[in-house]
């Protein structure tokens, strides 16, 4: 099964409102793959998508919080309006 088919199956099975793609900083292989995932999620699944890259340190907590809150607001607007 292709990876994108798995995303489609899981999004349907769990009734996803959006997709969060987490990539560890300096993990370039997965960061490149995120582009394909984003296109599939937006074009085929028609779901909101956010890609987050972090080194899992305390230095980016506030930035991540703001981005994730904005993403959740977007999901709330698209999912219930």
């Amino acid at each position: 099964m292709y990876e994108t088919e798995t995303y489609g199956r899981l999004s349907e099975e769990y009734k996803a409102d959006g997709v969060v793609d987490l990539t560890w900083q300096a993990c370039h292989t997965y960061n490149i793959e995120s582009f394909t995932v984003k296109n599939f999620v937006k074009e085929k699944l028609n779901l909101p998508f956010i890609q987050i890259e972090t080194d899992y340190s305390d230095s980016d907590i506030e930035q991540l919080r703001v981005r994730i809150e904005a993403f959740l607001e977007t999901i709330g607007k698209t999912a219930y309006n």
Side-chain angles (χ1 to χ4, degrees):
M1 181 180 294
Y2 291 108
E3 192 172 287
T4 53
E5 292 174 6
T6 302
Y7 294 131
R9 182 181 54 79
L10 289 172
S11 69
E12 187 175 315
E13 183 178 332
Y14 290 99
K15 299 179 182 11
D17 292 325
V19 174
V20 176
D21 182 30
L22 175 68
T23 306
W24 301 115
Q25 217 166 26
C27 215
H28 300 295
T29 302
Y30 294 108
N31 204 5
I32 291 169
E33 186 177 299
S34 182
F35 178 77
T36 303
V37 173
K38 176 183 177 180
N39 286 341
F40 179 78
V41 168
K42 289 181 151 259
E43 294 172 11
K44 302 294 183 189
L45 302 179
N46 197 30
L47 290 173
F49 176 89
I50 185 172
Q51 195 268 341
I52 294 176
E53 186 175 350
T54 182
D55 63 358
Y56 203 63
S57 70
D58 291 343
S59 64
D60 62 357
I61 287 176
E62 192 60 29
Q63 179 189 24
L64 292 176
R65 185 187 64 76
V66 169
R67 289 189 64 212
I68 293 167
E69 283 179 354
F71 180 69
L72 292 173
E73 286 178 15
T74 300
I75 288 175
K77 290 177 187 173
T78 59
Y80 303 107
N81 289 337

